[in-house]
Amino acid sequence: MTPLDAESLKHHLAGLPGWTHHPESGSISRSFRFANFAEAFGFMAQMAAVSERLDHHPEWFNVYNRVDITLTTHDADGLSERDITWAKAADGAYATRQRNGG
């Protein structure tokens, strides 16, 4: 697994405005907020299926209506295409839930 080069990383991060890049740890993070615990947990369940399909698993933390996520690819010692794909899937799932009242 290879990490994204600087130019690719810059390009991909421009398409992930809700995510924060942490160059020192080679990761990105985002906090998602939902109407309640059930919505937050439903989002996590949805993204768990994505994680299995991509064989890429986040570091995440849930308290009531908030889900905090950190992504990195340990095998690449930094960010890879898998992190970007997962982040885009999370953004899409979140947007759909927000449109549907979650």
Side-chain angles (χ1 to χ4, degrees), residues 4 12-13 16 28 80-89:
L4 293 169
H12 286 304
L13 292 175
L16 296 170
I28 55 175
S80 73
E81 289 286 342
R82 285 184 177 181
D83 299 300
I84 303 306
T85 300
W86 201 101
K88 287 180 179 179

Side-chain angles (χ1 to χ4, degrees), residues 67-94:
V67 179
D68 298 327
I69 298 171
T70 300
L71 295 170
T72 190
T73 302
H74 299 287
D75 294 347
D77 289 323
L79 292 164
S80 73
E81 289 286 342
R82 285 184 177 181
D83 299 300
I84 303 306
T85 300
W86 201 101
K88 287 180 179 179
D91 286 349
Y94 182 71

Side-chain angles (χ1 to χ4, degrees), residues 12-19 28-32 34 43 46-47 50 69 71 83-99:
H12 286 304
L13 292 175
L16 296 170
W19 293 81
I28 55 175
S29 65
R30 180 168 179 189
S31 183
F32 294 91
F34 299 89
F43 170 78
Q46 182 178 358
M47 291 310 300
V50 171
I69 298 171
L71 295 170
D83 299 300
I84 303 306
T85 300
W86 201 101
K88 287 180 179 179
D91 286 349
Y94 182 71
T96 298
R97 288 179 170 277
Q98 294 305 106
R99 277 193 306 272

Side-chain angles (χ1 to χ4, degrees), residues 45-58:
Q46 182 178 358
M47 291 310 300
V50 171
S51 296
E52 287 298 302
R53 187 178 78 247
L54 295 176
D55 191 27
H56 192 57
H57 304 88

